Amino acid sequence: MGARPSRRQMTEARRLALTKLPPELLVQVLSHVPPRALVTRCRPVCRAWRDLVDGPSIWLLQLARDRSAEGRALYALAQRCPADGNRHEEFPFCALARFCLRAPFSRNLIHNSCGEQGFRGWEVEHGGNGWAVEKNLTLVPGAPSQTCFVTSFEWCSKRQLVDLVKEGVWQELLDSGQIEICVADWWGARENCGCIYRLRVRLLDEYENEVVKFSASPNPVLQWTERSCRQVSHVFTNFGKGIRYVSFEQYGRDTRSWVGHYGALVTHSSVRVRIRLS
Protein backbone atom coordinates (compact mmCIF):
# COMPACT_ATOMS: atom_id res chain seq x y z
CA MET A 1 0.00 0.00 0.00
CA GLY A 2 1.25 3.46 -0.86
CA ALA A 3 1.73 6.23 1.65
CA ARG A 4 -1.32 8.34 2.33
CA PRO A 5 -0.96 11.80 0.71
CA SER A 6 -0.40 14.65 3.12
CA ARG A 7 -2.85 17.50 3.53
CA ARG A 8 -0.45 19.79 1.70
CA GLN A 9 -0.25 17.38 -1.25
CA MET A 10 -4.04 17.13 -1.38
CA THR A 11 -4.36 20.92 -1.35
CA GLU A 12 -1.81 21.22 -4.15
CA ALA A 13 -3.69 18.58 -6.16
CA ARG A 14 -6.97 20.48 -5.80
CA ARG A 15 -5.25 23.72 -6.78
CA LEU A 16 -3.77 22.10 -9.90
CA ALA A 17 -7.18 20.70 -10.80
CA LEU A 18 -8.76 24.16 -10.56
CA THR A 19 -6.03 25.81 -12.60
CA LYS A 20 -6.78 23.40 -15.45
CA LEU A 21 -10.36 24.64 -15.70
CA PRO A 22 -11.24 26.92 -18.63
CA PRO A 23 -11.30 30.58 -17.50
CA GLU A 24 -15.08 30.87 -17.85
CA LEU A 25 -15.60 27.89 -15.51
CA LEU A 26 -12.95 29.09 -13.07
CA VAL A 27 -14.75 32.43 -12.84
CA GLN A 28 -17.96 30.59 -11.96
CA VAL A 29 -16.22 28.55 -9.26
CA LEU A 30 -14.41 31.51 -7.70
CA SER A 31 -17.58 33.60 -7.68
CA HIS A 32 -18.89 31.34 -4.88
CA VAL A 33 -15.95 32.22 -2.61
CA PRO A 34 -16.65 34.93 0.03
CA PRO A 35 -15.15 38.33 -0.89
CA ARG A 36 -12.56 38.44 1.89
CA ALA A 37 -11.28 34.95 1.07
CA LEU A 38 -11.14 35.81 -2.63
CA VAL A 39 -8.72 38.62 -1.89
CA THR A 40 -6.66 37.07 0.89
CA ARG A 41 -6.59 33.39 -0.15
CA CYS A 42 -7.34 33.10 -3.88
CA ARG A 43 -5.71 36.19 -5.31
CA PRO A 44 -2.13 35.23 -4.24
CA VAL A 45 -2.32 31.74 -5.82
CA CYS A 46 -1.02 32.73 -9.25
CA ARG A 47 -1.06 35.51 -11.80
CA ALA A 48 -4.10 34.12 -13.62
CA TRP A 49 -6.15 34.01 -10.42
CA ARG A 50 -4.95 37.48 -9.46
CA ASP A 51 -6.11 38.87 -12.80
CA LEU A 52 -9.52 37.26 -12.37
CA VAL A 53 -9.97 38.62 -8.83
CA ASP A 54 -8.79 42.06 -9.94
CA GLY A 55 -11.32 42.12 -12.78
CA PRO A 56 -15.10 42.67 -12.67
CA SER A 57 -16.48 39.30 -13.83
CA ILE A 58 -16.36 37.43 -10.51
CA TRP A 59 -17.84 40.35 -8.61
CA LEU A 60 -20.69 40.85 -11.09
CA LEU A 61 -21.64 37.21 -10.59
CA GLN A 62 -21.68 37.75 -6.83
CA LEU A 63 -23.97 40.76 -7.23
CA ALA A 64 -26.26 38.79 -9.55
CA ARG A 65 -27.00 36.25 -6.79
CA ASP A 66 -28.79 38.82 -4.64
CA ARG A 67 -32.39 38.42 -5.83
CA SER A 68 -33.88 41.05 -3.53
CA ALA A 69 -35.40 44.13 -5.15
CA GLU A 70 -32.37 46.20 -4.16
CA GLY A 71 -29.99 43.46 -5.32
CA ARG A 72 -31.58 43.24 -8.75
CA ALA A 73 -31.55 47.03 -9.09
CA LEU A 74 -27.89 47.17 -8.06
CA TYR A 75 -26.91 44.47 -10.56
CA ALA A 76 -28.69 46.35 -13.35
CA LEU A 77 -26.91 49.57 -12.36
CA ALA A 78 -23.54 47.83 -12.17
CA GLN A 79 -23.99 46.71 -15.78
CA ARG A 80 -25.31 50.07 -16.94
CA CYS A 81 -22.79 52.19 -15.00
CA PRO A 82 -19.53 50.21 -14.97
CA ALA A 83 -16.59 51.61 -13.06
CA ASP A 84 -13.94 53.28 -15.21
CA GLY A 85 -11.21 50.92 -13.99
CA ASN A 86 -9.31 53.46 -11.88
CA ARG A 87 -8.02 51.85 -8.72
CA HIS A 88 -7.98 53.53 -5.35
CA GLU A 89 -4.55 53.85 -3.77
CA GLU A 90 -5.54 51.54 -0.89
CA PHE A 91 -7.01 48.83 -3.15
CA PRO A 92 -5.11 47.18 -6.02
CA PHE A 93 -8.28 45.67 -7.51
CA CYS A 94 -11.39 46.93 -9.25
CA ALA A 95 -14.17 49.14 -7.90
CA LEU A 96 -16.66 46.25 -7.88
CA ALA A 97 -14.31 44.30 -5.63
CA ARG A 98 -14.12 47.27 -3.26
CA PHE A 99 -17.90 47.45 -3.22
CA CYS A 100 -18.32 43.76 -2.37
CA LEU A 101 -15.59 43.90 0.27
CA ARG A 102 -16.72 47.09 1.99
CA ALA A 103 -20.49 46.44 1.62
CA PRO A 104 -21.39 50.14 1.88
CA PHE A 105 -25.13 49.57 1.39
CA SER A 106 -25.44 47.38 4.48
CA ARG A 107 -23.80 49.56 7.14
CA ASN A 108 -23.57 52.99 8.70
CA LEU A 109 -20.72 54.93 7.08
CA ILE A 110 -20.23 57.12 10.16
CA HIS A 111 -17.51 55.67 12.35
CA ASN A 112 -17.75 55.84 16.14
CA SER A 113 -21.29 57.20 15.97
CA CYS A 114 -21.98 57.04 19.71
CA GLY A 115 -18.62 57.94 21.22
CA GLU A 116 -17.83 54.36 22.20
CA GLN A 117 -14.27 55.05 20.97
CA GLY A 118 -13.98 58.51 22.46
CA PHE A 119 -13.56 61.11 19.72
CA ARG A 120 -11.84 58.82 17.24
CA GLY A 121 -12.85 59.66 13.67
CA TRP A 122 -14.20 63.12 14.53
CA GLU A 123 -12.74 66.60 14.03
CA VAL A 124 -13.65 68.30 17.29
CA GLU A 125 -13.85 71.95 18.36
CA HIS A 126 -14.34 72.45 22.09
CA GLY A 127 -16.25 75.37 23.58
CA GLY A 128 -16.73 76.05 27.28
CA ASN A 129 -15.60 72.90 29.07
CA GLY A 130 -15.55 71.07 25.75
CA TRP A 131 -17.16 67.87 24.59
CA ALA A 132 -17.51 64.83 26.83
CA VAL A 133 -18.76 61.26 26.39
CA GLU A 134 -21.34 59.91 28.82
CA LYS A 135 -23.91 57.14 29.13
CA ASN A 136 -27.29 57.81 27.56
CA LEU A 137 -29.99 59.18 29.83
CA THR A 138 -32.65 57.35 27.81
CA LEU A 139 -32.53 54.34 25.52
CA VAL A 140 -31.74 55.13 21.88
CA PRO A 141 -33.21 52.39 19.66
CA GLY A 142 -30.80 50.63 17.33
CA ALA A 143 -27.69 52.39 18.63
CA PRO A 144 -24.52 50.25 18.67
CA SER A 145 -23.65 51.72 22.09
CA GLN A 146 -25.80 53.46 24.70
CA THR A 147 -23.36 56.35 25.02
CA CYS A 148 -23.47 59.91 23.70
CA PHE A 149 -21.44 63.05 23.09
CA VAL A 150 -22.31 65.96 25.41
CA THR A 151 -21.73 69.69 24.81
CA SER A 152 -20.97 72.51 27.23
CA PHE A 153 -21.93 76.14 27.98
CA GLU A 154 -20.40 77.55 24.78
CA TRP A 155 -20.82 76.27 21.24
CA CYS A 156 -19.16 72.90 20.69
CA SER A 157 -18.91 71.41 17.22
CA LYS A 158 -17.62 68.25 15.61
CA ARG A 159 -17.40 66.97 12.07
CA GLN A 160 -16.78 63.73 10.24
CA LEU A 161 -15.91 63.58 6.55
CA VAL A 162 -17.14 60.41 4.84
CA ASP A 163 -15.31 59.46 1.64
CA LEU A 164 -17.98 57.55 -0.27
CA VAL A 165 -15.54 56.13 -2.82
CA LYS A 166 -13.15 54.92 -0.14
CA GLU A 167 -16.10 53.32 1.65
CA GLY A 168 -16.81 51.27 -1.48
CA VAL A 169 -19.28 53.20 -3.66
CA TRP A 170 -17.77 53.69 -7.10
CA GLN A 171 -18.07 57.12 -8.71
CA GLU A 172 -20.17 56.05 -11.71
CA LEU A 173 -22.72 54.54 -9.33
CA LEU A 174 -22.88 57.80 -7.37
CA ASP A 175 -23.38 59.69 -10.64
CA SER A 176 -26.14 57.37 -11.89
CA GLY A 177 -29.04 59.37 -10.46
CA GLN A 178 -30.35 56.21 -8.75
CA ILE A 179 -28.56 56.62 -5.42
CA GLU A 180 -29.98 58.09 -2.22
CA ILE A 181 -27.91 59.24 0.74
CA CYS A 182 -29.81 58.99 4.02
CA VAL A 183 -28.56 60.93 7.05
CA ALA A 184 -29.88 60.87 10.61
CA ASP A 185 -28.92 62.03 14.08
CA TRP A 186 -30.32 61.58 17.59
CA TRP A 187 -30.17 64.42 20.09
CA GLY A 188 -31.64 65.41 23.43
CA ALA A 189 -31.19 67.38 26.64
CA ARG A 190 -30.87 66.91 30.35
CA GLU A 191 -34.07 67.43 32.30
CA ASN A 192 -32.60 70.15 34.52
CA CYS A 193 -31.00 72.27 31.77
CA GLY A 194 -32.14 73.39 28.34
CA CYS A 195 -30.02 73.11 25.21
CA ILE A 196 -29.62 74.22 21.61
CA TYR A 197 -28.76 71.79 18.82
CA ARG A 198 -27.83 72.26 15.17
CA LEU A 199 -27.05 69.80 12.38
CA ARG A 200 -25.57 70.50 8.97
CA VAL A 201 -24.83 67.82 6.37
CA ARG A 202 -23.15 68.80 3.11
CA LEU A 203 -22.47 66.78 -0.02
CA LEU A 204 -19.09 67.73 -1.46
CA ASP A 205 -17.27 67.10 -4.73
CA GLU A 206 -13.78 65.63 -5.04
CA TYR A 207 -12.26 69.04 -4.21
CA GLU A 208 -14.51 69.32 -1.12
CA ASN A 209 -16.60 72.08 -2.65
CA GLU A 210 -20.19 72.13 -1.43
CA VAL A 211 -22.77 70.89 -3.93
CA VAL A 212 -25.89 70.59 -1.78
CA LYS A 213 -26.63 70.77 1.94
CA PHE A 214 -29.23 70.01 4.58
CA SER A 215 -29.52 72.02 7.80
CA ALA A 216 -31.65 71.40 10.87
CA SER A 217 -32.21 73.96 13.64
CA PRO A 218 -34.87 72.54 15.97
CA ASN A 219 -36.40 74.74 18.63
CA PRO A 220 -34.28 74.85 21.80
CA VAL A 221 -35.25 72.43 24.54
CA LEU A 222 -36.40 74.32 27.64
CA GLN A 223 -35.29 73.63 31.18
CA TRP A 224 -37.37 71.12 33.17
CA THR A 225 -38.95 69.52 30.13
CA GLU A 226 -38.99 65.87 29.14
CA ARG A 227 -35.54 64.43 28.53
CA SER A 228 -36.51 62.16 25.63
CA CYS A 229 -34.29 61.75 22.57
CA ARG A 230 -35.33 63.20 19.24
CA GLN A 231 -34.27 62.22 15.74
CA VAL A 232 -33.43 64.45 12.80
CA SER A 233 -33.25 62.81 9.38
CA HIS A 234 -33.03 63.69 5.71
CA VAL A 235 -32.70 61.87 2.38
CA PHE A 236 -30.56 63.38 -0.38
CA THR A 237 -31.84 62.40 -3.82
CA ASN A 238 -31.34 63.71 -7.35
CA PHE A 239 -28.17 65.44 -6.20
CA GLY A 240 -26.46 65.36 -9.59
CA LYS A 241 -23.00 64.18 -10.57
CA GLY A 242 -19.64 64.62 -8.93
CA ILE A 243 -20.46 63.88 -5.27
CA ARG A 244 -17.53 62.28 -3.44
CA TYR A 245 -17.80 63.23 0.25
CA VAL A 246 -20.42 63.69 2.97
CA SER A 247 -19.54 66.27 5.62
CA PHE A 248 -21.53 65.52 8.79
CA GLU A 249 -21.42 68.47 11.21
CA GLN A 250 -23.00 68.84 14.67
CA TYR A 251 -23.25 71.86 16.97
CA GLY A 252 -24.59 72.23 20.49
CA ARG A 253 -24.56 74.13 23.78
CA ASP A 254 -26.68 74.61 26.89
CA THR A 255 -29.07 77.51 27.52
CA ARG A 256 -28.04 78.29 31.12
CA SER A 257 -24.27 78.84 30.73
CA TRP A 258 -23.55 76.32 33.45
CA VAL A 259 -19.99 75.13 33.97
CA GLY A 260 -19.68 71.48 33.02
CA HIS A 261 -21.51 69.43 30.42
CA TYR A 262 -25.18 70.36 30.42
CA GLY A 263 -25.66 71.09 26.71
CA ALA A 264 -27.09 69.11 23.82
CA LEU A 265 -26.48 65.36 23.79
CA VAL A 266 -25.90 63.77 20.38
CA THR A 267 -25.55 60.11 19.43
CA HIS A 268 -26.21 57.40 16.84
CA SER A 269 -25.32 59.62 13.88
CA SER A 270 -25.63 57.85 10.56
CA VAL A 271 -24.91 58.15 6.85
CA ARG A 272 -26.35 55.35 4.73
CA VAL A 273 -26.36 54.84 0.98
CA ARG A 274 -29.08 52.95 -0.86
CA ILE A 275 -30.57 52.35 -4.30
CA ARG A 276 -33.65 54.38 -5.20
CA LEU A 277 -36.14 51.72 -6.23
CA SER A 278 -39.03 53.89 -7.45
Side-chain angles (χ1 to χ4, degrees), residues 4-148:
R4 183 178 180 180
S6 67
R7 180 177 297 180
R8 181 176 179 180
Q9 289 173 326
M10 293 174 66
T11 301
E12 289 294 332
R14 293 193 192 102
R15 184 181 299 173
L16 287 172
L18 283 174
T19 56
K20 292 180 180 179
L21 287 175
E24 59 273 16
L25 290 182
L26 183 57
V27 165
Q28 290 286 342
V29 171
L30 292 179
S31 70
H32 289 273
V33 178
R36 187 66 56 185
L38 267 175
V39 171
T40 60
R41 304 293 296 275
C42 299
R43 189 175 182 271
V45 168
C46 63
R47 182 174 297 178
W49 285 33
R50 182 197 65 191
D51 291 343
L52 287 176
V53 173
D54 288 354
S57 299
I58 290 174
W59 307 102
L60 277 171
L61 286 172
Q62 291 205 351
L63 292 181
R65 292 198 181 95
D66 184 351
R67 302 310 298 165
S68 66
E70 186 177 64
R72 292 195 300 270
L74 175 60
Y75 179 67
L77 272 177
Q79 292 182 303
R80 192 164 71 245
C81 306
D84 65 3
N86 291 334
R87 297 180 180 181
H88 195 276
E89 57 272 12
E90 292 188 14
F91 297 94
F93 26 84
C94 71
L96 277 175
R98 295 202 305 270
F99 180 89
C100 293
L101 281 167
R102 303 303 302 272
F105 283 11
S106 62
R107 61 187 175 90
N108 181 8
L109 302 184
I110 289 285
H111 299 278
N112 186 26
S113 63
C114 303
E116 63 271 30
Q117 300 176 45
F119 297 103
R120 184 178 180 182
W122 293 94
E123 302 170 21
V124 178
E125 291 190 13
H126 297 284
N129 290 124
W131 288 90
V133 176
E134 300 179 357
K135 291 184 178 180
N136 288 346
L137 298 177
T138 57
L139 181 70
V140 176
S145 173
Q146 292 299 321
T147 51
C148 62

Side-chain angles (χ1 to χ4, degrees), residues 138 186-189 221 225-230:
T138 57
W186 287 82
W187 71 283
V221 176
T225 56
E226 185 180 354
R227 62 180 186 184
S228 62
C229 286
R230 303 149 174 85

Side-chain angles (χ1 to χ4, degrees), residues 60 63 69-83 96 99 105 169-170 172-180 273-277:
L60 277 171
L63 292 181
E70 186 177 64
R72 292 195 300 270
L74 175 60
Y75 179 67
L77 272 177
Q79 292 182 303
R80 192 164 71 245
C81 306
L96 277 175
F99 180 89
F105 283 11
V169 188
W170 69 93
E172 290 75 16
L173 187 60
L174 284 169
D175 293 344
S176 68
Q178 295 297 115
I179 297 298
E180 294 179 334
V273 181
R274 69 187 184 193
I275 295 282
R276 191 179 69 208
L277 297 178

Side-chain angles (χ1 to χ4, degrees), residues 147-163:
T147 51
C148 62
F149 299 95
V150 190
T151 58
S152 189
F153 60 88
E154 292 180 350
W155 282 107
C156 299
S157 65
K158 63 186 181 75
R159 169 183 185 255
Q160 188 166 143
L161 188 67
V162 177
D163 185 338

